[in-house]
Amino acid sequence: PLIGVIAGTGAIAPEIDDGSIVYLLSKPLSRRTIVLTKLLVSISVTIAFTTLPILLAGMILNGNGQRIASAFTVAAAVASVAYSAIFLLLGTVSRNAVVFGLIYALVWEALFGSLVSGARALSVQQWSLSLAERVATDSADITSEVSLPTGLTLLTVATLLGTWYAAERLRSLKAAAEG
C-alpha cells in the first residue's frame, strides 16, 4: 500500500495542488483519458516496485516453493491496480491525499487489520490475499478473511469506482479558459 500511496497520489495530486493541471485540462483531451493515463502510469510504477521484489524474495527465501512466491506476486499485482485507483482518487479529492493514504495503509490495514478481524474484511490486502490463497497450494498456509469471489468483486468495484469518481472530480475542475 505504501508504494500505491506514493504512485497513486503522486500521479495527479501535485499537478492539482500547484495549478499546473490547468495546462493539461486546456488540451482537447477527455477527463477520462487523463485519469486513465495517470492510472496506468501509477499501476505500472506500483507493479514494478512491488511484484518484482516479492517474486525475487519469494524465490530466494522459499527455495523450491515457487508456487507461494507466484501466489503473492499475483496478489500484489492485483492489489496494485486497486491501490492505484483508490489513491489516485484520493489525489483528486483532497489536498492531504498522502496523509489520508498513509492513515489507510498504516492505521487501517496494518494496525486495525492485525487487531480487529472485522476490519480485515474491508482491506485491499485481504481482498488480494483471497487470490493468493487460491493460487498457492493448500499447504501454503495463506488465509484471507474474505472468499475469492468476494475479494475479486471488491477489488473490481474499488478499482472501477475509484477510477470513475476520479474522472468525475477532474471533470469538475475547469481550466481558466473554460470557466
Side-chain angles (χ1 to χ4, degrees), residues 1-132:
L2 296 178
I3 299 295
V5 168
I6 294 165
T9 60
I12 200 163
E15 292 179 29
I16 293 173
D17 286 345
D18 68 13
S20 63
I21 193 74
V22 171
Y23 297 110
L24 192 56
L25 296 177
S26 66
K27 304 287 183 200
L29 297 170
S30 74
R31 303 305 197 255
R32 186 177 321 145
T33 301
I34 295 168
V35 166
L36 288 176
T37 302
K38 294 197 174 284
L39 179 63
L40 288 175
V41 169
S42 176
I43 289 169
S44 300
V45 168
T46 306
I47 285 176
F49 284 100
T50 58
T51 58
L52 295 177
I54 288 172
L55 182 61
L56 290 174
M59 298 285 218
I60 292 168
L61 295 175
N62 213 10
N64 61 2
Q66 284 84 13
R67 183 114 180 175
I68 295 171
S70 298
F72 281 116
T73 301
V74 168
V78 171
S80 293
V81 174
Y83 282 130
S84 293
I86 291 167
F87 296 131
L88 181 75
L89 170 63
L90 274 177
T92 63
V93 299
S94 174
R95 290 187 178 269
N96 301 314
V98 173
V99 173
F100 291 130
L102 289 173
I103 289 170
Y104 173 79
L106 298 175
V107 175
W108 185 260
E109 286 205 351
L111 182 63
F112 288 147
S114 64
L115 299 175
V116 181
S117 63
R120 287 185 213 125
L122 297 174
S123 165
V124 173
Q125 182 181 35
Q126 288 297 315
W127 303 341
S128 62
L129 274 177
S130 69
L131 183 59

